[in-house]
Amino acid sequence: MADYKFHLLVCGGTGCHASNSDVLAENLKAELAEHKLSEEVQVVSTGCFGFCEKGPIVKVVPDNTFYTQVAPDDARDIVEEHVIKGRKVERLLYVDPNKKEQIGDSKHMDFYKKQLRIALRNCGFINPENIDEAIARDSYAAMAKVLSEMTPKDVIQVIKESGLRGRGGGGFPTGLKWEIAANNEADQKYVVCNADEGDPGAFMDRSILEGDPHTVLEAMAICGYSMGADKGVIYIRAEYPLAIHRLKVALKQAREYGLLGTNIMDTGFNHDIELRYGAGAFVCGEETALIRSMEGKRGEPTSKPPFPAQEGFNKKPTNVNNVETFANIPPIILKGSDWFSSIGSEKSKGTKVFALAGKINNVGLIEVPMGTTLREVIYEIGGGIKDGKKFKAVQTGGPSGGCLTEKHLDTPIDFDNLLAVGSMMGSGGMIVMDEDDCMVSVAKFFLEFTVEESCGKCAPCRIGNKRLHELLVKITEGKATKKDIRNMRNLCHVIKDTSLCGLGQTSPNPVLSTLENFYDEYMEHVENHNCPAGQCKALMRYYVLPDKCIGCGACARACPVGAISGERKKEHVIDQHLCIKCGACLEKCKFDSIIVK
Amino acid sequence: MTKIKTLADLKKMRSSLKGEIELRQQSENPDSVVQVKVGMGTCGIVSGAKETITFFSEALRKRDIPAVVTQTGCMGYCHSEPTVEVTLQGKEPILFGNVDPAKADEIIEKYIKKGQLVDGVIPITFKTIED
Ligand SMILES: Cc1cc2nc3c(=O)[nH]c(=O)nc-3n(C[C@H](O)[C@H](O)[C@H](O)COP(=O)(O)O)c2cc1C
C-alpha cells in the first residue's frame, strides 16, 4: 500500500462535474506524475461536499485546506505551491462573504460548523466508485451485524426505538412501516428505494447516491432481511446519469464481494437489487404511482388502502422508503437507537438534509440536527442573504410546502413545527427569497409546476389547479377583484380536501401560505394594480423623467415596438398602451432618466 | 475476487483497508490526535525538511501513534530550520528548531510519547490567524 502524505479530494458531484472537476482531477494526477509525486499524493474523486455555490471544490488532507472554484488550470499551482512548497494557494481559498476574510481550512468555515453529517457522512470523504474505501468507513458492517447477531424482529425494534421518520416527505415512522411489511405474509416481497426526487431545486437524494451508493444498497438489504424480501428495486429518474452510473458500479462491486446476491455471508440470506428508470415525472415520486410506473403502467396514483405494504409492486407486499431514510439505517444499527434518538427534537429524531437555494450566499447541500432553527440555517450556515438584501421569505417543502416569514425564523425545524406554521418538511428543498421577490409570482411559479406535473387522473387536481393558476395570473396582471381572492381561498380548500393523492392534497399550500403571510401584497396587486417587488411585468410602468432626459433618442431607437417618441433634444415620452415592458430603453439610457414603477 | 463470507472476514478486510483513508479520518478531528507541522519554506527544504517530514510520517505510523503530519510555509525562524511545531491534544503548540531525523526521533520518544520537553524549543512569539 502506498504511503500517501496528501490526499487531494476533488468533488465529483454533478454540480462540480459540470464545471470540469473530472478534467481537474486528471490534471492534478498529471502534474503529480510530472513531479514524481504519484506515490506520495493521492487524488480522489469524491461525492458532493455540499458547498456547490463555489464549486469545483478541492480539499487537501490532512491540513483540510479548502479550495473553491478551482479550474483545471489551477492544478499546477496546487501541486507546485501547496504540495511541493507547503504554501496555500491564497487566490483559491474561500473568502467569507460577511467577514471578507480568507478562510484557510474547512474546520473554520461557518458553513460546516453547525452541520452534523449522518446521511451525508461519506459524501466528500470516500471515492464512491471504490468499495474498499466504503468498507474502510464501515459500509456493510451494519448488514454483517444484522445478519450474524440480530433477528428480523430485533432490527425492526431498533429502528422503531430510534424514532426515525421517513425523509421522503410524509414523515411516517420507518420502523412501523417495516413491521407492517414484515407481518404481511407472501411468497414474494419487495424493498423499493424511492430515488425519484422531483421537487424543483432538490438534490439531496442525488448527492447521497452519487457520493455514497453502498450505504443505500446496504440499508436496502437490511430492510429486506427485516421484512423477508429477497428483491430490491431502486426507482431512479433517468435524468440522474451520474447517480445511475455510480449505483451500477457499486452493485457490481458488492456482488463481486458477495455482499449482495445469494447466501450473503453464508447466512442463507438472499438479496439482490435492480434499477428501474423513471422518466422524470413529479407524480411518480408518490409511492403508488411509482409502483405503477415500475410495473410499466402509466404513472398514476391509486387510492390507499391498499397500502404498498399490503399490495404493492406486482401486487406483493412492498416497502417503499426514500434514499435519505435508507442512508440513516446503517449508522443506527451500528451506533444504536439511543444514540440516534439523542439527536434532534422531541418528535423528530436525527438530522435532515436540505438543499439550500435562492437568494442566499452559500447555496448548497447541508445536514443539520432536527430542531435547528431556520435562522441558524439561513444566517449561520447559509451565510445570510445575497448582496446584503433583506430577507423576505423561505419556502420549505417544495411545491407542497409553504412560504414562511421573518416571524417564523426562530422556529426549530422539524416535521410537526413546520406543519403547525402552514408549511412542511417535504423532502428538504429550501428556497430563500429576498425583498425583490414577489410572493404572488412565487405562488404562481409553484402552481405552474403542479399544473404541468398533475397526472390528470382526478378532477380536483387536474382542473382545480388549472383554475387556481388562472386566478394567480389574473392577480399578477392586475385584473383580479377581492372576490377572486375569496374564490381562490375556497378553491384551495376544495382541492386539498378532494384530491386523490398527496400531489393535489398539498399543491394549494404555496397559495394558502402566501395568502396568510403576505395578504397585503396580494391586496396591493388587486386594489392598486401594483407589484411592490417590481416583478409582475404586466403591472410595471416605464416612465421618462422629464428633467433628466436630454432627448438623445437612444431609447426610441432601442424600443422594438416604437412606443417612445419625442423631438431631438427634447424630452421623450413612452406610450403606455404600446409599451411591452421589455426594458430595452432602460438599458440604453445613459442618463438614468428612465424609471420603472 | 475473494468473497466476504463472515463477519470476521469483513472485519479483517476493514482493518486492512483502514490505512487507505486513515489520513482523511484523522484530519476530520485534528484536535484529537497529535499534530505535527513541518516548515517547508525554501529555507526549510534546503535544510532538510523533506527528510524530516518523511521521517515523522513514517515513524509515527510505524509506532502506532495517531497523528496528522502537515507541511506549512516558512515559520520565520530561518536560523533554526528545519522547524517543527508539535501540538498534543489539549496543549499549546510547541516549536522545535533544527529538527533532523535524529532529533525527530527524540521528539517522538520523549515529547510525544511521554510529554517530556527536549532541547531545541523555540519560544513562539506570534499567533497565526487560524488560532
Ligand atoms: C406528489 C408526490 C411526490 C413525491 N415525491 C417523492 C420523491 O421524489 N421521493 C420520495 O422519496 N418520496 C416522494 N413522495 C413520498 C412518497 O409517496 C413516499 O411517502 C415515500 O417515498 C416514503 O418513503 P419514506 O417513508 O422513507 O419517506 C412523494 C409524494 C407525493 C404525494
Side-chain angles (χ1 to χ4, degrees), chain A residues 166-168 177 194 197-198 282 285-287 320-322 325 502-503:
Chain A
R167 304 299 194 232
K177 199 189 253 186
N194 186 344
E197 195 167 49
F282 179 57
E286 196 283 331
E287 54 191 10
V320 184
N321 274 128
N322 165 262
T325 312
L503 197 152

Side-chain angles (χ1 to χ4, degrees), chain A residues 89-161:
Chain A
V89 185
E90 295 202 0
R91 67 184 172 83
L92 297 176
L93 289 176
Y94 166 64
V95 179
D96 184 298
N98 298 314
K99 297 182 210 133
K100 304 271 181 271
E101 62 190 33
Q102 278 180 344
I103 310 282
D105 63 86
S106 57
K107 296 278 162 215
H108 290 83
M109 287 168 65
D110 288 341
F111 183 73
Y112 287 111
K113 276 186 197 160
K114 287 228 156 165
Q115 291 200 45
L116 175 65
R117 301 185 140 220
I118 298 176
L120 297 176
R121 65 197 177 281
N122 290 337
C123 291
F125 193 94
I126 59 165
N127 174 353
E129 299 191 21
N130 182 348
I131 190 173
D132 289 347
E133 289 198 0
I135 289 176
R137 270 285 264 200
D138 290 340
S139 279
Y140 297 103
M143 182 181 84
K145 178 174 172 185
V146 162
L147 294 184
S148 59
E149 297 169 8
M150 295 168 81
T151 65
K153 277 209 165 62
D154 293 340
V155 177
I156 290 170
Q157 195 57 27
V158 170
I159 303 301
K160 272 170 104 174
E161 281 167 8

Side-chain angles (χ1 to χ4, degrees), chain A residues 165-172 174 177 194-199 205 282-288 304 320-323 325-326 400 427 501-504 506:
Chain A
R165 293 168 65 175
R167 304 299 194 232
F172 192 82
T174 305
K177 199 189 253 186
N194 186 344
D196 189 60
E197 195 167 49
D199 290 21
D205 297 345
F282 179 57
V283 76
C284 285
E286 196 283 331
E287 54 191 10
T288 60
K304 295 189 267 194
V320 184
N321 274 128
N322 165 262
V323 173
T325 312
F326 278 127
S400 318
S427 57
C501 83
L503 197 152
T506 57

